[in-house]
Amino acid sequence: MSARTLTCQVTEVENLSADVFGVRLLGRAEAMQYAPGQYLELKLDENTWVPFSIASVDRGEGLIELHIQHWPERDSSVRLREMLQVASQVTLRLPGGESVLDLDSQRPLILIAAATGFSQMKAIIEAVLHEQPEREISLWWAARGRQDLYLEQLASHWAQTHTNFSFHAVTELPLEEPLAVGERISHHHGRIDQVLKAAEMAPETCDVYISGSPGMVYACLDVLEAKGITLERVFSDVFAYAPRTP
C-alpha cells in the first residue's frame, strides 16, 4: 500500500490525561486506508513531518484516531497542539510502517507498549477482537506512573469482557490505588524489561509487537531472545528507523 498525501479535517480533540490528548481526523475514505499497526505523518511545516501511530481500526469511513504526547517545553509540540484545533485542516501522509498485524497468523499475541506506544496496540487489539475473537492477546503497557496509563479503563474493560485478553500494567512508580478488579488484570512494579525477565511466558510460540523508544524496544528484545523467542515473529517500527548496530 503506497503512501498518499492528503488534507483532512480535525473533528475532535480531547484530553486523555494531563499530558496526552486524543485527536480524530476525517478525510476521504478511499484515501485514508491503512492496516492495523501502521502510522501516519502530520505536516507541521514545509520541512517537518511528525509521525504518529494510528490508534483506530480502518472501518472504511475515513476516520482516524491519534494519541499525542504533549511536551509544553518543546516548541514543535506547542506548535502541533496549536495547529490541531477542531475544524482546522491538516495535511497528512499515510500509511507508513511495516509493523502490521498478521491476520493470517493464529499465534498468541504479546503486545508490549511504552506510554503512547499503546496507540499502535489499540488498533491491533481492536482488529483482533473483531477479526479473530478467539486469538489470545497479552498486553504489557509500561509507564512511569499510573497517570500515564491514560486509557487504563479501556484496557481493563477488554480484560473483564474477553476471556482471551490479559492486561499487565507496568509502572516504575508504585500504585497508590489498586487497578480494576479482574482475574486477567495485573500490576507489575519496575522497568518493563526487568518485569518481562521475571515473567513466566513462552514467547517462542507467539507473535510479538513492541512499541516504544529504541532503548526500550531492544532491552525487551534481549530479554525475549533469552527466553527463546522466534525473532522472525517480532515486529517493531524501531527496526526500520533505528536499526541496531551489529
Side-chain angles (χ1 to χ4, degrees):
M1 191 182 298
S2 58
R4 303 170 297 277
T5 301
L6 64 147
T7 300
C8 61
Q9 186 174 48
V10 179
T11 62
E12 185 177 351
V13 179
E14 63 173 330
N15 291 323
L16 301 177
S17 73
D19 303 311
V20 177
F21 63 98
V23 176
R24 287 182 173 84
L25 308 173
L26 177 64
R28 291 183 295 109
E30 63 274 16
M32 300 279 272
Q33 296 177 0
Y34 58 93
Q38 290 192 297
Y39 63 84
L40 58 72
E41 295 173 283
L42 280 174
K43 184 178 182 180
L44 187 57
D45 55 46
E46 289 301 320
N47 300 309
T48 309
W49 294 80
V50 188
F52 294 102
S53 292
I54 301 172
S56 51
V57 171
D58 183 3
R59 295 185 171 86
E61 301 171 334
L63 294 170
I64 279 181
E65 175 186 348
L66 305 176
H67 301 163
I68 299 177
Q69 182 88 40
H70 181 50
W71 304 94
E73 69 277 12
R74 299 181 184 177
D75 176 67
S76 59
S77 183
V78 172
R79 289 163 57 203
L80 181 66
R81 184 65 182 86
E82 292 174 349
M83 182 180 76
L84 292 170
Q85 302 293 329
V86 173
S88 65
Q89 298 265 316
V90 294
T91 299
L92 56 86
R93 184 165 58 203
L94 85 162
E98 300 299 325
S99 185
V100 175
L101 173 65
D102 181 3
L103 285 171
D104 291 328
S105 173
Q106 296 293 327
R107 293 159 64 95
L109 285 166
I110 296 177
L111 308 179
I112 305 169
T116 52
F118 170 78
S119 59
Q120 182 182 38
M121 304 310 169
K122 177 177 176 292
I124 290 174
I125 292 165
E126 289 179 345
V128 173
L129 292 179
H130 182 262
E131 301 288 341
Q132 300 174 312
E134 304 301 321
R135 191 174 182 182
E136 292 185 22
I137 307 169
S138 179
L139 171 66
W140 297 76
W141 188 3
R144 176 168 171 75
R146 178 74 169 273
Q147 70 279 5
D148 301 311
L149 301 173
Y150 56 89
L151 284 181
E152 175 196 323
Q153 290 184 339
L154 176 60
S156 295
H157 173 73
W158 285 328
Q160 291 168 332
T161 56
H162 298 278
T163 57
N164 58 314
F165 184 93
S166 61
F167 170 38
H168 301 267
V170 182
T171 62
E172 296 184 23
L173 299 176
L175 295 183
E176 295 181 356
E177 297 180 3
L179 298 175
V181 176
E183 62 181 18
R184 292 178 298 278
I185 301 172
S186 58
H187 173 253
H188 309 266
H189 180 211
R191 207 174 64 195
I192 181 63
D193 57 317
Q194 298 170 338
V195 169
L196 291 173
K197 185 175 182 179
E200 293 186 10
M201 57 171 60
E204 71 275 8
T205 67
C206 301
D207 286 353
V208 181
Y209 292 78
I210 314 177
S211 182
S213 68
M216 170 268 191
V217 169
Y218 287 119
C220 291
L221 184 64
D222 288 342
V223 169
L224 295 172
E225 188 174 10
K227 288 178 175 286
I229 198 171
T230 304
L231 293 179
E232 292 76 14
R233 303 307 301 175
V234 185
F235 307 92
S236 177
D237 291 323
V238 164
F239 301 155
Y241 75 81
R244 178 179 268 176
T245 303

